[in-house]
């Protein structure tokens, strides 16, 4: 009888002593047991290492513990990829957790449909375990998605690494880019371009924990990494099997390069930085011939994107596109 496929689950760890046990519990208790959990301590300065060692001793057949100097999220994930021995890879952030059937269902879908990537839904949860938001990933598509005929998914998808199961071969010659923010937007679309078939479940397996103790993020020029990530994806797109599907590429540029970037820009407090970043966005749009009308009529999941947004967000976007930046500065 053939050995069942091994799944490697990579968990980068950095100063998460209050959340790590819940994350690891959700992984060691998976209904699919043919897994290895690569826990990569990325230079934590709290009690995370002690917790990792405790789990490694209690679950020696599942937990593989590694410690390395701090190099950031991408570096820790890449370290895990380099040491993974599984046929499939999953990524779980160490302050989140998953349902105990997540990897069993996703592997079954991968095998059933010969899919190179499998996607599940995400829900945000608070400290008390209450669901605060449900993030449905692909509401308008079947369980099996043939990319040649359903390529709109390329520009509709949210490119999180953590709610997906990947065939390991997708990472051949590909890694998360180090030293940048928005590394998922930079890499995951490039992996998708190598796929022929995706599969999805509508189950909300991934539990994204909204931390109350996390310091409010300052929004800076690091947001320009979004535009650089899109540029990297464009290069991969032009040499991919889908290079003729230029409409979907433009929709990707609009969603990630315009809307995602603007969502970040809305929280940039420093005035000169705001204007500098606005100028970079306008340059990005001009170079790609993205016009106001295309942005207005852009649809995601067959619905007008702008009209689907909360009113405050919609007003921000409309003021920006109509050149009313001085009014915007008063609102921010």
């Amino acid at each position: 009888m053939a050995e069942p496929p091994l799944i490697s689950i990579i968990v980068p760890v950095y100063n998460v002593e209050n959340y790590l046990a819940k994350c690891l519990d959700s992984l060691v208790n998976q209904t699919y047991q043919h897994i290895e959990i690569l826990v990569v301590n990325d230079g934590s300065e709290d009690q995370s290492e002690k917790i990792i060692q405790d789990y490694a001793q209690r679950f020696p057949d599942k937990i593989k513990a590694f410690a390395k100097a701090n190099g950031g999220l991408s570096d820790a994930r890449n370290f895990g990829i380099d040491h993974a021995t599984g046929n499939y890879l999953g990524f779980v952030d160490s302050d989140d957790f998953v349902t105990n059937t997540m990897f069993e269902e996703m592997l079954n879908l991968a095998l059933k449909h010969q899919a190179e990537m499998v996607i599940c839904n995400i829900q945000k949860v608070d400290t008390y375990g209450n669901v605060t938001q449900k993030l449905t990933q692909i509401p308008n598509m079947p369980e099996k998605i043939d990319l040649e005929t359903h390529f709109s998914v390329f520009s509709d998808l949210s490119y999180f690494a953590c709610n997906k199961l990947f065939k390991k071969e997708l990472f051949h010659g590909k890694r998360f880019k180090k030293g940048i923010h928005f590394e998922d937007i930079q890499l995951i679309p490039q992996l998708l371009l190598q796929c022929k078939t995706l599969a999805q479940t509508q189950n909300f397996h991934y539990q994204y924990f909204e931390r109350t103790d996390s310091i409010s993020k300052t929004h800076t020029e690091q947001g320009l990494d979004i535009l650089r990530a899109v540029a990297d994806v464009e290069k991969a797109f032009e040499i991919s099997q889908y290079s003729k599907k230029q409409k979907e590429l433009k929709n990707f540029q609009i969603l990630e390069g315009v809307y995602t970037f603007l969502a970040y820009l809305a929280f940039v407090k420093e005035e000169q930085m705001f204007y500098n970043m606005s100028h970079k966005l306008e340059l990005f749009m001009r170079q790609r011939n993205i016009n106001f009308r295309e942005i207005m009529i852009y649809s995601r999941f067959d619905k007008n994107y702008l009209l689907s947004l909360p009113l405050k967000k919609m007003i921000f976007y409309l003021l920006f596109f109509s050149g009313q930046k001085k009014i915007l500065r008063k609102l921010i």
Side-chain angles (χ1 to χ4, degrees), residues 190-254:
Q190 295 190 50
L191 302 183
L192 184 137
L193 290 170
Q194 300 178 75
C195 299
K196 292 194 183 306
T197 308
L198 307 184
Q200 67 149 338
T201 167
Q202 287 297 313
N203 286 324
F204 290 84
H205 284 304
Y206 196 87
Q207 315 298 300
Y208 177 91
F209 180 55
E210 291 196 286
R211 288 163 63 168
T212 49
D213 68 344
S214 61
I215 299 161
S216 180
K217 287 179 184 170
T218 44
H219 285 232
T220 67
E221 286 186 328
Q222 290 168 338
L224 292 169
D225 281 347
I226 297 169
L227 303 184
R228 296 181 191 113
V230 172
D232 284 349
V233 173
E234 289 166 353
K235 286 177 200 155
F237 192 94
E238 294 309 329
I239 57 169
S240 77
Q241 60 193 315
Y242 303 109
S243 60
K244 289 190 170 60
K245 296 184 182 288
Q246 291 293 312
K247 181 191 169 198
E248 287 81 3
L249 175 62
K250 181 158 263 193
N251 281 341
F252 173 81
Q253 292 164 336
I254 291 170

Side-chain angles (χ1 to χ4, degrees), residues 95-109:
D95 48 358
D96 299 333
F97 57 100
V98 300
T99 65
N100 65 348
T101 56
M102 173 170 166
F103 287 101
E104 179 174 24
E105 185 183 10
M106 291 175 83
L107 177 65
N108 286 340
L109 287 169

Side-chain angles (χ1 to χ4, degrees), residues 29-86:
N29 291 314
Q30 286 293 302
T31 53
Y32 186 78
Q33 287 286 299
H34 201 55
I35 60 174
E36 60 174 11
I37 304 159
L38 296 94
V39 188
V40 183
N41 185 356
D42 190 43
S44 295
E45 295 160 347
D46 63 357
Q47 294 298 306
S48 293
E49 179 63 22
K50 193 177 172 199
I51 296 165
I52 293 167
Q53 290 306 322
D54 173 53
Y55 274 81
Q57 284 166 21
R58 284 162 54 205
F59 304 97
D61 57 328
K62 286 198 182 66
I63 302 269
K64 289 187 174 181
F66 300 93
K68 59 181 282 299
N70 180 257
L73 178 62
S74 291
D75 196 49
R77 283 177 173 172
N78 291 342
F79 185 96
I81 296 166
D82 293 341
H83 290 81
T85 58

Side-chain angles (χ1 to χ4, degrees), residues 50-291:
K50 193 177 172 199
I51 296 165
I52 293 167
Q53 290 306 322
D54 173 53
Y55 274 81
Q57 284 166 21
R58 284 162 54 205
F59 304 97
D61 57 328
K62 286 198 182 66
I63 302 269
K64 289 187 174 181
F66 300 93
K68 59 181 282 299
N70 180 257
L73 178 62
S74 291
D75 196 49
R77 283 177 173 172
N78 291 342
F79 185 96
I81 296 166
D82 293 341
H83 290 81
T85 58
N87 315 76
Y88 293 87
L89 299 184
F91 299 90
V92 175
D93 290 343
S94 50
D95 48 358
D96 299 333
F97 57 100
V98 300
T99 65
N100 65 348
T101 56
M102 173 170 166
F103 287 101
E104 179 174 24
E105 185 183 10
M106 291 175 83
L107 177 65
N108 286 340
L109 287 169
L111 297 174
K112 176 182 174 185
H113 300 301
Q114 294 298 293
E116 298 100 331
M117 190 186 295
V118 184
I119 299 154
C120 73
N121 288 335
I122 299 173
Q123 56 191 16
K124 291 185 178 181
V125 293
D126 64 16
T127 316
Y128 307 103
N130 302 315
V131 176
T132 58
Q133 192 180 1
K134 284 184 172 287
L135 302 172
T136 303
Q137 298 301 290
I138 319 176
N140 61 338
M141 292 273 174
E143 183 181 275
K144 178 183 180 181
I145 301 166
D146 175 72
L147 277 175
E148 186 57 46
T149 52
H150 293 294
F151 196 66
S152 63
V153 76
F154 174 75
S155 54
D156 286 351
L157 202 57
S158 294
Y159 283 108
F160 308 110
C162 59
N163 67 324
K164 297 173 179 67
L165 184 68
F166 304 89
K167 279 204 88 168
K168 191 184 180 186
E169 293 90 81
L170 293 176
F171 289 88
H172 183 68
K174 299 267 186 199
R175 291 293 185 270
F176 290 95
K177 197 169 185 176
K178 291 192 272 191
I180 66 161
H181 292 69
F182 307 98
E183 56 281 300
D184 288 3
I185 296 174
Q186 195 271 345
L187 178 66
I188 309 302
Q190 295 190 50
L191 302 183
L192 184 137
L193 290 170
Q194 300 178 75
C195 299
K196 292 194 183 306
T197 308
L198 307 184
Q200 67 149 338
T201 167
Q202 287 297 313
N203 286 324
F204 290 84
H205 284 304
Y206 196 87
Q207 315 298 300
Y208 177 91
F209 180 55
E210 291 196 286
R211 288 163 63 168
T212 49
D213 68 344
S214 61
I215 299 161
S216 180
K217 287 179 184 170
T218 44
H219 285 232
T220 67
E221 286 186 328
Q222 290 168 338
L224 292 169
D225 281 347
I226 297 169
L227 303 184
R228 296 181 191 113
V230 172
D232 284 349
V233 173
E234 289 166 353
K235 286 177 200 155
F237 192 94
E238 294 309 329
I239 57 169
S240 77
Q241 60 193 315
Y242 303 109
S243 60
K244 289 190 170 60
K245 296 184 182 288
Q246 291 293 312
K247 181 191 169 198
E248 287 81 3
L249 175 62
K250 181 158 263 193
N251 281 341
F252 173 81
Q253 292 164 336
I254 291 170
L255 176 63
E256 299 294 3
V258 179
Y259 280 117
T260 300
F261 183 79
L262 274 178
Y264 184 94
L265 187 64
F267 293 94
V268 172
K269 301 293 184 196
E270 207 278 301
E271 189 168 355
Q272 192 52 52
M273 191 182 291
F274 176 89
Y275 286 121
N276 289 343
M277 291 173 73
S278 298
H279 175 69
K280 292 276 172 63
L281 175 59
E282 286 160 356
L283 194 64
F284 172 91
M285 289 163 58
R286 205 157 50 241
Q287 287 168 342
R288 288 154 183 82
N289 295 315
I290 298 170
N291 61 48

